[in-house]
């Protein structure tokens, strides 16, 4: 990383390098340093990340049209969103009645919706509209739940605050509301799984081989009816700590549902997940499933040759930086940086334990720090969100978007897809044209 002396004093403890002994963890969970351009998103978008995929409810954004547009695309999928489209006069005189009318109009436009989610944005929060009271009044008028999601962007440091707000909404209004109480013998829930490019289908295929049935996936497959019966699962499988752990803890306390934290990214992580889940249910045939997966992973061999020894930098959602670091190490790549916009100490501790000495751990870096990192460490591949894509591209570094945009990365087959996409990016000749001559000479020197 750029020398500590080049960092702002407020940022120095947010960037650490793993030594040979116990990993020193970066300072995290703090507000972004004022004046820096953070890669974080707001609490409203964090709530949309959690709730956007619920299919049988109306999603109504109480705020300017721009907020609705911003929240209408989640994980590269477009969702139908209604908006009150607040304007200057609404800010001056209030928009409570406008919100009430918008709820009635939205229900008239989508009469089959089982509920209405009303998201408060910064604007609504600042002018002080009585969101709770308006939602109660509207619920009586439309004959179905109208649920406030109090997620103005200023209510937290990052999108992580929105994740917690959304979890609270699901727990209070949707989870466990079904009449049936008896547990489903082979039923499980997936918490923190959003079905990015078919990930859920691949995970479900593996669980079905264990004889298990997914009752609800929060929120890649989370219709209101599925959430109502989620308390009947025998096990909650937490696939993302940041978006699933609060749900798992609350359901364990309220319903006594045990939980298990696993990952289905990478061969070893997937195999370990199957063994742990199989042990819980006493399932037979786990070794056969893993051996079949080992044969499937063999299809990645041609790509591993192209990736061996290449440097990779990872910067995305907090809870998966550790497991993905292990997956890229299985590809034969050298992980030189792991970072996140909103990681917690547990995330960085898990990630730091999975990487070798000399790896940089960085929390909430501004674009300038990422640029200096790329110039100093010259990764052959940068893996991150769309905000970082253009920075890496301008510097001539191949970029892989994660959560991914092309194919599933989960499970054994997903590991082959990951290898194929990474190898295709690293080996693409276009990057030689994109890099400036000085950069390319430096890269050749670094490779010896």
């Amino acid at each position: 990383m750029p020398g500590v002396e080049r960092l702002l004093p407020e940022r120095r403890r947010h960037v650490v390098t793993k030594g040979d002994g116990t990993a020193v963890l970066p300072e995290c969970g703090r507000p972004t340093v004022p004046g820096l351009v953070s890669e974080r998103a707001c609490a409203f978008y964090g709530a949309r990340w959690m709730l956007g995929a619920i299919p049988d409810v109306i999603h109504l954004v109480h705020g300017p049209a721009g907020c609705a547009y911003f929240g209408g695309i989640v994980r590269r999928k477009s969702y139908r969103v209604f908006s009150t489209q607040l304007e200057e006069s609404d800010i001056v005189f209030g928009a409570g009645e406008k919100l009430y009318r918008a709820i009635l109009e939205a229900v008239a436009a989508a009469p089959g919706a089982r509920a209405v989610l009303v998201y408060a944005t910064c604007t609504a929060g600042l002018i002080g509209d009585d969101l709770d009271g308006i939602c109660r009044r509207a619920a009586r008028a439309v004959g179905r739940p109208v649920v406030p999601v109090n997620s103005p962007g200023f209510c937290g440091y990052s999108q992580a605050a929105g994740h917690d707000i959304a979890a609270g909404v699901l727990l209070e209004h949707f989870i466990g509301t079904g009449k049936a109480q008896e547990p489903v013998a082979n039923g499980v829930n997936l918490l923190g799984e959003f079905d990015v490019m078919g990930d859920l289908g691949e995970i479900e295929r593996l669980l079905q081989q264990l004889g298990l049935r997914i009752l609800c996936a929060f929120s890649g497959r989370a219709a209101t009816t599925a959430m109502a019966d989620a308390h009947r699962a025998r096990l909650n499988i937490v696939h993302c700590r940041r978006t699933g752990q609060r749900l798992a803890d609350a359901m364990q306390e309220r319903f006594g549902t045990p939980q298990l934290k696993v990952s289905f990214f990478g061969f070893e992580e997937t195999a370990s997940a199957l063994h742990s889940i199989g042990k819980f249910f006493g399932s037979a045939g786990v070794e056969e499933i893993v051996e079949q997966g080992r044969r499937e992973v063999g299809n990645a061999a041609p790509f591993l040759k192209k990736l061996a020894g290449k440097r990779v930098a990872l910067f995305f959602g907090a809870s998966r930086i550790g497991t993905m670091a292990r997956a890229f190490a299985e590809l034969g790549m050298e992980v030189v940086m792991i970072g996140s916009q909103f990681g917690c100490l547990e995330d960085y501790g898990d990630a730091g334990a999975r990487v070798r000495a000399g790896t940089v751990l960085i929390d909430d870096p501004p674009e300038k720090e990422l640029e200096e990192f790329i110039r100093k460490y010259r990764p052959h591949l940068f893996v991150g969100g769309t905000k970082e894509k253009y920075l890496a591209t301008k510097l001539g570094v191949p970029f892989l978007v994660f959560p991914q945009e092309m194919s599933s990365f989960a499970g054994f087959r997903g590991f082959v897809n990951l290898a194929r996409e990474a190898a295709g990016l690293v080996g693409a000749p276009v990057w030689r044209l994109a890099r400036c001559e000085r950069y390319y000479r430096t890269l050749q020197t670094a490779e010896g």
Side-chain angles (χ1 to χ4, degrees):
M1 195 59 207
V4 173
E5 69 280 355
R6 297 188 61 183
L7 297 169
L8 290 174
E10 299 92 334
R11 287 286 307 158
R12 289 176 183 173
R13 290 189 291 180
H14 290 261
V15 184
V16 299
T17 301
K18 181 179 178 180
D20 294 323
T22 304
V24 178
L25 303 182
E27 190 172 272
C28 55
R30 301 292 182 89
T32 297
V33 176
L36 297 184
V37 181
S38 173
E39 304 298 297
R40 289 173 169 174
C42 67
F44 162 68
Y45 193 74
R48 286 292 299 153
W49 185 269
M50 284 277 287
L51 304 174
I54 300 176
D56 53 350
V57 303
I58 290 169
H59 299 267
L60 173 59
V61 179
H62 187 37
C67 293
Y69 179 81
F70 178 53
I73 301 176
V74 183
R75 293 178 296 274
R76 210 168 175 250
K77 294 181 180 179
S78 296
Y79 296 97
R80 187 183 189 187
V81 175
F82 295 86
S83 173
T84 52
Q85 193 174 342
L86 297 186
E87 298 175 342
E88 183 178 354
S89 60
D90 302 313
I91 309 305
V92 176
F93 299 106
E97 284 302 312
K98 186 174 188 179
L99 171 59
Y100 179 75
R101 294 194 303 271
I103 295 171
L104 302 186
E105 292 173 8
V107 172
R114 294 179 177 270
V116 182
L117 295 179
V118 180
Y119 300 82
T121 61
C122 293
T123 308
L126 287 170
I127 64 178
D129 283 338
D130 181 13
L131 197 68
D132 292 356
I134 295 167
C135 287
R136 286 194 298 268
R137 176 186 166 200
R140 293 192 293 270
V142 300
R144 70 203 70 193
V146 179
V147 180
V149 183
N150 285 295
S151 55
F154 54 75
C155 69
Y157 302 150
S158 69
Q159 57 265 53
H163 299 157
D164 292 336
I165 292 167
V169 167
L170 296 179
L171 289 164
E172 182 177 353
H173 297 279
F174 296 102
I175 294 175
T177 58
K179 295 181 179 179
Q181 297 298 319
E182 67 278 5
V184 178
N186 65 339
V188 300
N189 295 320
L190 269 177
L191 311 184
E193 172 48 49
F194 301 97
D195 194 21
V196 178
M197 300 308 299
D199 279 348
L200 178 56
E202 181 60 20
I203 294 171
E204 184 172 41
R205 183 184 70 85
L206 294 172
L207 294 179
Q208 286 176 343
Q209 292 181 49
L210 293 176
L212 304 179
R213 170 189 165 200
I214 298 177
L215 300 185
C216 187
F218 294 91
S219 57
R221 191 189 300 161
T224 56
T225 51
M227 290 189 285
D229 284 337
H231 62 292
R232 301 175 62 196
R234 282 191 59 200
L235 178 67
N236 279 330
I237 301 173
V238 181
H239 198 214
C240 172
R241 182 187 300 112
R242 177 60 261 175
T243 56
Q245 193 62 58
R246 181 177 176 185
L247 293 175
D249 291 343
M251 292 179 72
Q252 186 165 7
E253 180 179 352
R254 186 183 302 178
F255 308 115
T257 311
Q259 59 177 282
L260 193 61
K261 173 69 176 75
V262 303
S263 173
F264 288 94
F265 292 115
F267 174 80
E268 293 295 340
E269 291 286 347
T270 301
S272 176
L274 293 174
H275 280 113
S276 298
I277 297 169
K279 181 179 179 180
F280 178 89
F281 283 96
S283 304
V286 176
E287 286 300 333
E288 288 79 1
I289 298 172
V290 172
E291 284 306 310
Q292 173 62 30
R294 193 182 303 276
R295 290 191 290 272
E296 292 176 346
V297 167
N299 295 324
F303 311 117
L304 301 187
K305 295 179 181 178
K306 299 178 181 179
L307 296 172
K310 302 295 185 182
R311 296 180 296 278
V312 61
L314 311 179
F315 182 74
F316 42 78
S319 297
R320 289 178 175 167
I321 51 177
T323 54
M324 289 303 289
R326 187 177 184 183
F328 278 98
E330 289 180 311
L331 294 179
M333 304 187 76
E334 178 188 355
V335 180
V336 293
M337 185 200 85
I338 46 178
S340 174
Q341 302 98 326
F342 52 88
C344 64
L345 286 176
E346 191 174 5
D347 296 325
Y348 289 117
D350 176 61
R354 297 168 185 264
V355 295
R356 65 180 67 182
T359 302
V360 173
L361 286 77
I362 183 169
D363 176 75
D364 187 31
E367 185 175 272
K368 181 61 177 175
E369 287 181 14
L370 291 177
E371 179 181 351
E372 291 189 14
F373 167 83
I374 292 174
R375 293 186 184 280
K376 179 175 181 179
Y377 287 89
R378 305 299 186 192
H380 296 89
L381 180 67
F382 198 111
V383 185
T386 51
K387 289 183 180 179
E388 299 80 46
K389 176 179 180 179
Y390 303 101
L391 170 65
T393 301
K394 289 175 182 177
L395 294 174
V397 176
F399 191 87
L400 177 63
V401 175
F402 185 81
Q404 67 275 14
E405 296 183 338
M406 300 294 290
S407 57
S408 168
F409 285 173
F412 302 121
R413 296 176 180 176
F415 181 71
V416 178
N417 293 335
L418 174 63
R420 180 187 300 111
E421 291 194 28
L425 287 167
V426 169
V430 67
W431 297 110
R432 295 191 180 187
L433 301 176
R435 297 184 183 115
C436 66
E437 183 179 350
R438 179 182 176 187
Y439 173 90
Y440 190 54
R441 285 203 307 267
T442 304
L443 188 61
Q444 287 180 316
T445 302
E447 291 173 342

